[in-house]
Amino acid sequence: MIQENINNSTADKFSNKTNRSYFKMAKLKLPGVILLATVSLPAFSESITVGDTNLTLYGYAKLDLIYDFDSPLGISIIHQNIRLDDTNGPDGHFDAHALESRIGISTITPSELGNIETRVEGDFYGPGGTFRLRQGYGTWNGILAGQTETNFSTFLGYTPSIDFTGQVGQTNLDRQAQIRYSTGGLSIALEEADKQGGRAYEMEETVEIKSSLPDLTLRYDDALGSMNYSLGAVLRKLTAYDAAADREEDEFGYGVTFSGKMPVSSRVSLQGAVVYGEGVGGYLWLNPAAPAYYDPVTAKLEAIEAVGGTLGISVAVGPGLANLAYGVSEADLDDIKNVDVSNEGEQNTSLYLNYLWSPVENVDYGIEVSHHTRELVGGREGKATRLQAMAKYTF
């Protein structure tokens, strides 16, 4: 059924964008309701045992059919590709691809002190359609090491979309190298520091932006009545080196987030998320701004304030699921001086409406219309609309 196997697609890493993992919608029975909940688990086929290790092969093949009514937005939506209203260009663009198709292997190996679990997964969103690593990690006794979704984020507040980008304003589920410890609903991790918008606006070629410490992330997951929620936080150090002055300038950035999902009835659920921070950068999904800027006059590195949010509704209709979601990300660049940011992004928005259904188990079809906008600091803005369909076959 479609409620048990829906792909929430999000974006790959174009510029400071990253992608999110495949997930399923599962029916969780709660007192008096059935909650359409997201879980980041693959749709498993039969497993085999090799020695002491249980091995499972999983994945899917997916075709995306795309028509952009305005400017071409890319194989997944890139807001920088939205043509500004004061710019001329051709309208009407068709595209088709199967790059989201993926394959993965998961293993469970028993030991005297608990199971050792691993997962290796890839898709074809690498440069030029090449195969790339999405997941590559192992876990043992609450200790995770490898590459997987950042600990700052959760799928809990996301609404399914066919487009691989998904709503802006959510927590960014980029997969990055990390070491994480989880106990109960609490998890803490040290993660690579340069993927989530690890740059700063600067005017001098002599200035280099570098990472000197890992990002520290924390997350706590729990439930309050019928509502599942997640709280997240990130603390990061941003560093700029000015070669001309042979001087380093540091600035600490942070971000906080709340995500939640709540059943309204046995067929309806609401889900959403809010993110806020200074220097939060790419941890806010499709943040239009860098995490910081370097002022060449004062030789200071300053964090940039940003905020975002998304709200969606999912309704079981007939053989499938109807989804409506809106998202916005906005950065405060008004106080930046001595750096020309007039052509930098200040706000991104997205609106998705889709219907997803399964005629048989492990076969999913869907159709979606989405509308997207971007606005620059100087007031220039643009908008674009996309129509998209999918066919997905899971094993």
Side-chain angles (χ1 to χ4, degrees), residues 87-292:
T87 303
N88 295 324
D91 294 331
H93 304 269
F94 173 80
D95 199 359
H97 69 86
L99 299 180
E100 191 183 319
S101 302
R102 70 188 58 167
I103 188 169
I105 298 173
S106 66
T107 69
I108 301 177
T109 305
S111 76
E112 295 179 356
L113 298 177
N115 289 340
I116 303 166
E117 302 182 17
T118 68
R119 183 179 179 189
V120 178
E121 175 188 288
D123 65 13
F124 298 89
Y125 265 115
T130 57
F131 190 76
R132 62 162 189 175
L133 178 69
R134 286 174 48 84
Q135 310 271 358
Y137 66 88
T139 62
W140 176 73
N141 282 340
I143 302 172
L144 180 150
Q147 177 173 302
T148 189
E149 289 88 2
T150 168
N151 182 54
F152 177 73
S153 303
T154 172
F155 286 111
L156 196 59
Y158 296 152
T159 303
S161 68
I162 297 174
D163 167 56
F164 203 47
T165 298
Q167 310 92 44
V168 306
Q170 311 177 63
T171 55
N172 182 2
L173 273 160
D174 186 18
R175 293 165 304 280
Q176 51 192 36
Q178 61 188 274
I179 183 166
R180 181 193 305 181
Y181 179 71
S182 302
T183 177
L186 179 66
S187 54
I188 182 171
L190 295 176
E191 309 189 26
E192 63 175 296
D194 60 352
K195 290 183 69 176
Q196 303 304 341
R199 64 184 182 92
Y201 298 133
E202 47 83 16
M203 298 178 62
E204 305 296 330
E205 295 183 355
T206 59
V207 177
E208 173 187 354
I209 307 302
K210 71 183 189 73
S211 300
S212 55
L213 288 175
D215 291 345
L216 173 66
T217 60
L218 302 98
R219 195 178 80 240
Y220 180 72
D221 301 326
D222 204 347
L224 183 61
S226 61
M227 182 182 70
N228 291 286
Y229 69 89
S230 178
L231 299 170
V234 58
L235 181 65
R236 57 198 320 214
K237 182 182 179 182
L238 307 170
T239 303
Y241 172 70
D242 189 337
D246 190 24
R247 177 173 56 194
E248 283 190 358
E249 290 295 329
D250 298 324
E251 176 78 340
F252 282 95
Y254 72 91
V256 292
T257 181
F258 172 85
S259 300
K261 188 178 187 72
M262 181 178 66
V264 178
S265 71
S266 61
R267 302 181 67 84
V268 180
S269 71
L270 291 175
Q271 52 276 337
V274 292
V275 183
Y276 173 81
E278 295 184 9
V280 65
Y283 284 98
L284 167 60
W285 182 232
L286 297 188
N287 183 350

Side-chain angles (χ1 to χ4, degrees), residues 297-309:
V297 175
T298 63
K300 296 294 184 180
L301 187 67
E302 302 288 346
I304 296 175
E305 181 182 15
V307 63

Side-chain angles (χ1 to χ4, degrees), residues 289-354:
Y293 72 96
Y294 181 77
D295 190 320
V297 175
T298 63
K300 296 294 184 180
L301 187 67
E302 302 288 346
I304 296 175
E305 181 182 15
V307 63
T310 183
L311 180 64
I313 182 171
S314 299
V315 183
V317 179
L321 195 70
N323 300 281
L324 175 65
Y326 175 77
V328 58
S329 292
E330 186 169 335
D332 184 3
L333 306 180
D334 295 338
D335 295 332
I336 294 182
K337 299 179 176 63
N338 305 317
V339 178
D340 182 12
V341 295
S342 60
N343 290 319
E344 298 290 344
E346 189 170 40
Q347 183 188 82
N348 292 326
T349 74
S350 61
L351 177 67
Y352 286 89
L353 174 64
N354 62 54

